[in-house]
Amino acid sequence: MATTSYNPPCAACKFLRRKCLPAGCMFAPYFPPEEPQKFSNVHKIFGASNVTKLLNEVLPHQREDAVNSLAYEAEARVRDPVYGCVGAIAFLQKQVDRLQKELDAANAHLIRFSTCNENRTSDHHAVAAAPVLPRLVEYNMLRINNGSSFPYPWNDCNHSPQGGGIN
């Protein structure tokens, strides 16, 4: 009794309703049957014939990267038809810029804190700078995760936290 193995068609051939021979199908390595949405998005944005042309023009070792780029751009275009991945990049760049400004301000406050701490004459009121940094970073991360701006908890060189402080 002979056994036949069933190879499901790739997501592209299934979507296009054509016979899929994994050995000869250009799409099979890049659009597995368990990822139908990947090809659906790529087809919706670029079209199957354009993807085929592109894959024929690209060197075989570059095809996976090309398909991944197409899939990423297609998914971004489905979510944001106007800007696509450029909108996501712009959003992330703004976030990086905002976080860099907050980091610069935090570093300036730490320098100010260290300078004020060095000028203290009595040790019983002095606060060590090392334990403050993890608390300040934790406080900053909580504020970022809540989507609000970063208010610094220290009001001046007396090191008293505003509003009860960070415990």
Side-chain angles (χ1 to χ4, degrees):
M1 189 159 127
T3 19
T4 59
S5 64
Y6 172 72
N7 290 328
C10 70
C13 290
K14 187 173 183 176
F15 184 86
L16 298 171
R17 296 181 182 175
R18 54 187 194 188
K19 188 171 183 168
C20 184
L21 300 172
C25 179
M26 177 168 283
F27 294 124
Y30 314 110
F31 298 103
E34 59 272 2
E35 296 180 29
Q37 194 62 41
K38 181 178 179 182
F39 182 77
S40 175
N41 289 343
V42 169
H43 180 267
K44 185 185 298 182
I45 302 301
F46 299 105
S49 63
N50 288 331
V51 175
T52 302
K53 286 177 194 175
L54 178 83
L55 291 178
N56 283 326
E57 292 174 7
V58 174
L59 296 174
H61 70 277
Q62 296 173 325
R63 288 179 181 163
E64 186 174 357
D65 288 337
V67 168
N68 289 336
S69 294
L70 289 173
Y72 183 82
E73 175 63 26
E75 186 179 326
R77 285 279 171 189
V78 167
R79 278 190 267 126
D80 184 354
V82 176
Y83 294 107
C85 66
V86 174
I89 291 168
F91 171 78
L92 292 172
Q93 186 60 50
K94 285 179 186 177
Q95 192 174 17
V96 166
D97 293 343
R98 181 179 55 83
L99 291 172
Q100 185 61 51
K101 287 177 185 174
E102 290 178 8
L103 180 61
D104 292 344
N107 285 333
H109 278 285
L110 285 173
I111 290 169
R112 185 170 152 222
F113 178 80
S114 296
T115 304
C116 291
N117 202 24
E118 289 172 3
N119 293 337
R120 295 215 170 229
T121 54
S122 69
D123 274 352
H124 81 291
H125 287 288
V127 177
V132 172
L133 180 60
R135 291 187 311 175
L136 191 59
V137 168
E138 180 181 340
Y139 180 76
N140 185 18
M141 293 310 295
L142 289 171
R143 300 298 293 180
I144 290 169
N145 289 338
N146 291 335
S148 55
S149 62
F150 181 81
Y152 294 96
W154 311 110
N155 55 8
D156 61 8
C157 284
N158 68 10
H159 304 295
S160 59
Q162 297 173 354
I166 305 168
N167 294 329

